[in-house]
Amino acid sequence: MRYAVGVDLGGTNLRVAAVREDGEMLRQVRCGTQVERGRDAVIDEMAAAVRQLADEVSAAGTLAGVGIGVAGILDAHNGTVREAPNLPGWEEYPVRAEIERRLGSPVVLENDANAAAAGEAWLGAARGAGSMAMITLGTGVGGGIVLGGRIWPGSRGMAGEFGHVVIFPEGPRCNCGNRGCVEQYASASAVVRAAREWAARGEAAAIAREIERRGAEFSAKNIYELAAAGDGPSREIFRRAGETLGILLADLVNVLNLEVYVIGGGMAGAWEMFAPAMFAELRTRSFVYKATAPADAEEALRGETSPEARRAAAPATAVVRAQLGPDAGLIGAARLAMQAEK
Ligand SMILES: [Zn+2]
């Protein structure tokens, strides 16, 4: 049987996994990425980790290829990194060709959000679906589209940037140069920024106390805990994030009419805080969703409909939570390598 190696290259961790073509995870390793040692050192380390893993699982079958998920804007056509904030000095460097040369295996370079979408489509919340999109809520907001079992790359591999869809035209300035992007409301950093603003206005005593107590460690998770304990301003921040996601989803559903929309990333853990506003907006704003929504709205709100239950029901639009957690990108990167080889 064939297997592929998936690599998740983050700013602090390098994770490598060997995944068989039937979806069995053979082995997974994690090492710290020493980005400060420079690009060539990171590439050497990655190549060594892949080689070692491939040696360890060589009895399991033949290596189909290596898929690498990287946070940033890539040029899939050229196999180069256009912009990767976590990987200084990688821009305009032939990453794919360099790694292929060192490993002697075909390499696929993919944006980490696209890799996560490929993973959830293969073995996660959207398995068995012909079409899906994934929205990843992390420090930023990423996305990926899978059509007919394959990532829709766009002409240069840059499709699926859902984080930069405009929600409020006069909203806060985004790193991308636009204003009022999804990322400015529904990312972990946006939630933290909103909480600091509430506290600075003197309107959120509980948040202000938490900021004082946590200092620089103050995070979206702290705001989630306040919201779960009933704090009004914290709940309002997540409601706003949910409203934003609902508007985004309404547009995606109207334009794409896919089977499944998966919400993943760290912020998806706050599901019950943002899902009610998200579904309310989605229902109000998308006639396509209204026409295709699952019959049981309560069940839909939980976001945990299994792929089996989804397929057993009449064709509908499912919006569900991701299932693979941080492994989605790793599994997806391996999947993409396998698909590329065929
Ligand atoms: Zn933006």
Side-chain angles (χ1 to χ4, degrees):
M1 200 179 283
R2 299 181 322 145
Y3 73 94
V5 172
V7 180
D8 179 7
L9 178 59
T12 49
N13 276 306
L14 172 67
R15 298 195 306 144
V16 185
V19 187
R20 217 162 55 185
E21 62 186 329
D22 63 356
E24 174 86 17
M25 169 83 74
L26 296 171
R27 194 166 152 68
Q28 192 183 138
V29 294
R30 171 197 291 262
C31 12
T33 322
Q34 291 178 300
V35 174
E36 66 283 358
R37 284 176 54 221
R39 180 190 68 206
D40 295 337
V42 172
I43 289 178
D44 281 341
E45 192 186 1
M46 179 167 38
V50 170
R51 231 180 275 119
Q52 192 187 341
L53 192 71
D55 280 348
E56 286 167 8
V57 302
S58 58
T62 51
L63 176 62
V66 179
I68 303 169
V70 182
I73 301 172
L74 310 180
D75 188 325
H77 185 74
N78 294 334
T80 55
V81 176
R82 291 280 282 265
E83 222 184 294
N86 294 330
L87 301 170
W90 288 55
E91 291 84 5
E92 311 303 331
Y93 173 78
V95 180
R96 186 179 60 206
E98 266 306 303
I99 300 171
E100 277 179 344
R101 192 177 60 78
R102 287 175 210 218
L103 289 174
S105 300
V107 169
V108 174
L109 196 63
E110 189 52 90
N111 167 271
D112 60 346
N114 277 352
E120 290 287 342
W122 184 30
L123 299 176
R127 65 183 180 275
S131 60
M132 67 86 82
M134 180 165 176
I135 305 171
T136 305
L137 310 175
T139 314
V141 174
I145 303 168
V146 175
L147 302 176
R150 285 184 175 263
I151 281 285
W152 169 252
S155 70
R156 296 291 283 244
M158 298 180 197
E161 288 291 348
F162 305 142
H164 302 287
V165 169
V166 179
I167 302 298
F168 302 105
E170 310 304 328
R173 179 75 68 190
C174 183
N175 293 333
C176 74
N178 197 351
R179 276 186 180 278
C181 295
V182 169
E183 188 164 292
Q184 295 306 312
Y185 303 91
S187 63
S189 35
V191 163
V192 169
R193 190 198 62 217
R196 288 187 185 279
E197 285 168 4
W198 273 85
R201 289 197 301 267
E203 294 171 2
I207 291 176
R209 276 196 303 275
E210 196 68 10
I211 290 172
E212 172 122 18
R213 197 148 69 97
R214 307 271 175 188
E217 302 290 298
F218 179 67
S219 70
K221 188 164 175 287
N222 303 135
I223 307 160
Y224 167 74
E225 285 159 0
L226 286 174
D231 178 56
S234 302
R235 295 181 79 94
E236 173 57 22
I237 291 166
F238 281 104
R239 192 201 61 76
R240 191 80 190 261
E243 178 189 52
T244 300
L245 290 171
I247 296 170
L248 169 64
L249 280 167
D251 291 343
L252 294 181
V253 169
N254 283 351
V255 173
L256 298 167
N257 185 209
L258 307 175
E259 281 176 57
V260 188
Y261 301 81
V262 177
I263 315 276
M267 273 274 292
W271 178 272
E272 74 272 22
M273 290 300 146
F274 65 74
M278 179 178 80
F279 279 102
E281 287 297 325
L282 175 55
R283 270 187 179 279
T284 309
R285 292 179 188 269
S286 169
F287 72 101
V288 176
Y289 183 74
K290 258 181 286 187
T292 59
D296 188 342
E298 284 295 309
E299 160 76 18
L301 182 59
R302 282 193 291 278
E304 287 171 346
T305 308
S306 71
E308 293 71 28
R310 174 167 47 71
R311 284 203 298 279
T317 299
V319 178
V320 292
R321 305 168 66 151
Q323 291 183 348
L324 301 177
D327 288 347
L330 206 50
I331 290 169
R335 172 68 165 170
L336 291 167
M338 248 176 276
Q339 287 181 326
E341 200 241 5
K342 274 185 181 159

